[in-house]
């Protein structure tokens, strides 16, 4: 494996760093200082902040780095995208808005959509003029996604769609959704599904927010009541939507994998261990605490080098495969362990939420501890990821699903 970067990639790294040096100063105080309380992440104020920052990134050519220029991207290499991700995470800069569009819907349309669909949708995903969400899960179709029951009936040049989706992140401010529907109820369940693009402003679409464990309402139930979807909004062939949905999930799982964020959490953990005292001494002086911290450091190195193996595969032109899932699984579990450890060393302070005068780092650990549970479920639970690694990575017999 070659760990070095070319002069062109290093020049791009400098460009990103120089840009961040100037623009990080423009971020509000609450972003840069954990002691200062910012707006709730599900508030309109936060959404507007996210759009404001997105526009700056977009104007600088930092959204869709590896996307082709003809669809509004920068036309740079995958490695330049990696360099960019690293620098943004190191600087702890906010990411772009429209994460689902850029990370999931866009790559799917690029891989499986028609030329007309690519031209119509991709530029507006990058500029965040159109926000996207993902309408896959249903009350009876989560891990068993092929069990989708939302029904689309052929009506000539369009489908009539009835059903319900759930856990639709950002559905309340989205303009479009990637939607998995059943077009053939008589076929074996993986073979009767079709992949559609839904205009969320269509008549018959009702969005109801759901409140999660953190107290925020970022997810929704989406009800579809005789919604008309033109066939020109279908991705791929009729009844062949399953393999496209699997493609979307692979993009989703690879987009979630990141080492630098774990490294940031680790550095924050060291600060807390220095700050919190037990029996009058900082907990970082406790040998057992030091051992646990050392193990986190080792795990981050394991994550980093396995991530580089996965990247090597992608540079060869492979689609994200099982090794990407290993990185995602290990990185998610590592984050859960670090978040739990942060609660452990805070002792009684771990009970103090955002808004309490005595909460450490303004209660941000309590928030990240609770929201980390969600990352162990989103894009497939840890158990499902283990099944996929076993079947596709190790060639073990299929589980009884
Ligand atoms: C933060 C977050 C964001 C999300 N965003 C979206 C979104 O934008 N759009 C969307 O469509 N969905 C979204 N989801 C939904 C997510 O994809 C599902 O929650 C997930 O696939 C699990 O499905 P479920 O909740 O129905 O749980 P279930 O499938 O009912 O699983 C319940 C438990 O059974 C276990 N289990 C089930 N089957 C097996 C098996 N075969 N082997 C071993 N164990 C098994 C699971 O691991 C889990 O522990 C989101 C979820 C979260 C937490």
């Amino acid at each position: 494996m070659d760990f070095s970067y070319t002069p062109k990639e290093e020049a791009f790294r400098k460009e990103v760093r120089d840009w961040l040096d100037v623009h990080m100063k423009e971020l509000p105080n609450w972003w840069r200082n954990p002691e200062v309380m910012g707006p709730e992440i599900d508030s309109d104020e936060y959404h507007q902040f996210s759009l404001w920052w997105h526009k700056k990134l977009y104007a600088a050519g930092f959204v869709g780095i590896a996307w082709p220029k003809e669809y509004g991207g920068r036309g740079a290499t995958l490695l330049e995208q990696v360099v960019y991700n690293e620098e943004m995470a190191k600087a702890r800069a906010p990411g772009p808005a429209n994460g689902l569009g850029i990370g999931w819907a866009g790559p799917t349309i690029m891989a499986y959509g028609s030329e007309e669909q690519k031209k119509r949708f991709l530029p507006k995903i990058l500029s965040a003029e159109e926000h996207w969400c993902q309408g896959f899960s249903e009350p009876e179709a989560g891990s068993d996604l092929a069990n989708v029951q939302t029904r689309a009936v052929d009506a000539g040049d369009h489908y009539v769609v009835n059903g319900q989706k759930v856990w639709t992140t950002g559905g309340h401010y989205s303009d479009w959704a990637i939607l998995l529907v059943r077009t053939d109820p008589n076929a074996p369940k993986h073979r009767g599904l079709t992949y559609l693009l839904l205009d969320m402003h269509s008549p018959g679409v009702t969005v109801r927010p759901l409140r999660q464990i953190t107290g925020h309402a970022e997810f929704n139930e989406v009800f579809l009541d005789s919604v008309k979807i033109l066939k020109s909004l279908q991705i791929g062939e009729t009844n062949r939507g399953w393999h496209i949905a699997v493609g979307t999930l692979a993009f989703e799982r690879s987009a979630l994998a990141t080492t630098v964020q774990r490294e940031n959490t680790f550095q924050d953990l060291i600060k807390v261990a220095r700050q919190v005292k037990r029996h009058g001494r900082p907990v970082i002086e406790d040998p057992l605490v030091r051992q646990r911290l050392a193990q986190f450091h080792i795990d981050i190195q394991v994550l980093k080098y396995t991530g580089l193996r996965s990247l090597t595969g992608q540079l060869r032109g492979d689609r994200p495969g099982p090794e990407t899932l290993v990185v995602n699984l290990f990185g998610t579990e590592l984050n859960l362990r670090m978040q739990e450890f942060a609660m452990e060393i805070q002792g009684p302070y771990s009970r103090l939420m955002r808004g309490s005068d005595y909460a450490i780092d303004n209660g941000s650990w309590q928030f990240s501890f609770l929201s980390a549970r969600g990352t162990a479920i989103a894009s497939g639970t840890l158990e499902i990821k283990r099944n996929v690694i076993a079947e596709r990575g190790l060639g073990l017999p299929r589980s009884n699903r």
Side-chain angles (χ1 to χ4, degrees):
M1 204 183 289
D2 180 5
F3 294 107
S4 57
Y5 291 95
T6 63
K8 185 169 165 265
E9 285 150 7
E10 289 299 355
F12 178 59
R13 188 187 296 282
K14 184 171 180 313
E15 182 187 336
V16 178
R17 278 188 188 164
D18 289 349
W19 189 90
L20 285 167
D21 275 350
V22 174
H23 294 278
M24 285 297 284
K25 295 187 188 104
E26 295 164 13
L27 285 167
N29 199 13
W30 58 262
W31 180 272
R32 288 175 287 134
N33 183 357
E35 300 288 314
V36 181
M37 184 111 96
E40 300 289 344
I41 57 159
D42 58 349
S43 64
D44 195 45
E45 187 184 345
Y46 193 92
H47 185 57
Q48 292 310 322
F49 157 73
S50 183
L51 285 176
W52 166 80
W53 180 250
H54 183 102
K55 279 193 190 130
K56 287 180 186 292
L57 292 175
Y58 182 71
F62 290 157
V63 186
I65 304 239
W67 287 30
K69 281 189 178 154
E70 55 184 312
Y71 304 130
R74 191 184 181 97
T77 62
L78 180 59
L79 262 185
E80 282 164 310
Q81 173 77 64
V82 170
V83 165
Y84 169 80
N85 290 351
E86 264 179 18
E87 293 304 319
M88 291 293 282
K90 274 188 207 155
R92 302 187 182 222
N98 206 14
L100 267 142
I102 296 164
W104 292 259
T108 307
I109 295 172
M110 202 136 44
Y112 305 99
S114 67
E115 197 48 40
E116 207 182 333
Q117 289 167 336
K118 290 180 201 176
K119 289 203 174 104
R120 159 66 187 84
F121 290 109
L122 296 178
K124 287 190 178 178
I125 287 177
L126 288 187
S127 63
E129 280 167 82
E130 289 176 343
H131 268 258
W132 284 72
C133 62
Q134 180 190 30
F136 281 15
S137 304
E138 297 181 1
E140 297 304 324
S143 301
D144 186 11
L145 184 60
N147 195 40
V148 156
Q149 299 299 322
T150 292
R151 183 81 171 89
V153 176
D154 193 327
D157 67 342
H158 66 277
Y159 293 103
V160 177
V161 183
N162 281 285
Q164 184 201 339
K165 296 290 172 180
V166 71
W167 312 125
T168 318
T169 310
H172 50 305
Y173 52 73
S174 289
D175 305 294
W176 289 88
I178 41 177
L179 193 75
L180 197 58
V181 295
R182 184 158 303 282
T183 31
D184 184 351
N186 301 317
K189 63 181 180 179
H190 292 83
R191 300 216 190 112
L193 297 169
T194 299
Y195 202 106
L196 300 176
L197 307 180
L198 164 70
D199 178 349
M200 293 289 286
H201 307 294
S202 307
V205 177
T206 308
V207 180
R208 278 200 214 141
L210 291 168
R211 200 159 290 280
Q212 68 241 37
I213 193 172
T214 56
H216 297 110
E218 294 166 284
F219 308 144
N220 302 271
E221 292 177 296
V222 176
F223 297 90
L224 303 161
D225 183 7
S226 298
V227 177
K228 183 176 161 182
I229 302 183
L230 289 174
K231 283 197 177 154
S232 57
L233 294 170
Q234 177 174 320
I235 302 284
E237 292 169 41
T238 310
N239 296 326
R240 298 271 296 142
W242 175 250
H243 79 279
I244 304 178
V246 169
T248 301
L249 291 176
F251 290 125
E252 178 171 3
R253 286 161 183 164
S254 77
L256 288 171
T258 158
T259 305
V260 184
Q261 281 172 353
R262 300 294 167 267
E263 180 61 36
N264 287 345
T265 306
F266 176 64
Q267 294 302 335
D268 292 344
L269 206 48
I270 291 177
K271 276 191 215 143
V272 177
R274 287 207 169 104
Q275 189 185 343
V276 176
K277 291 192 172 142
R278 200 174 294 151
H279 308 305
R281 302 181 72 92
V283 294
I284 201 160
E285 291 179 13
D286 179 335
L288 292 178
V289 168
R290 296 170 81 82
Q291 262 181 28
R292 296 274 295 274
L293 289 171
Q295 187 61 50
F296 289 137
H297 175 70
I298 294 166
D299 289 350
I300 290 169
Q301 303 314 305
V302 171
L303 182 69
K304 178 175 165 186
Y305 291 108
T306 316
L308 287 172
R309 268 184 66 186
S310 156
L311 177 63
T312 306
Q314 288 185 48
L315 287 173
R316 278 197 308 255
D318 304 346
R319 289 248 166 96
E323 73 287 349
T324 311
L325 271 177
V326 172
V327 175
N328 179 245
L329 178 74
F330 189 69
T332 306
E333 288 189 328
L334 175 57
N335 187 38
L336 283 175
R337 281 189 277 125
M338 286 199 286
Q339 297 294 341
E340 278 165 15
F341 191 57
M343 293 295 108
E344 214 177 304
I345 57 178
Q346 286 182 35
Y349 288 95
S350 65
R351 303 295 299 271
L352 301 177
M353 300 292 285
R354 184 179 154 90
S356 159
D357 286 347
Y358 300 101
I360 290 167
D361 288 341
N362 215 354
S364 60
W365 284 103
Q366 284 64 19
F367 171 76
S368 55
F369 167 72
L370 291 173
S371 56
R373 306 307 314 176
T375 58
I377 301 170
S379 84
T381 64
L382 299 179
E383 291 78 16
I384 293 302
K385 282 176 190 153
R386 283 198 163 79
N387 281 346
V388 177
I389 291 167
E391 289 164 16
R392 289 191 219 149
L394 303 175
L396 297 178
R398 279 185 65 79
S399 86
N400 226 358
R401 273 181 280 151

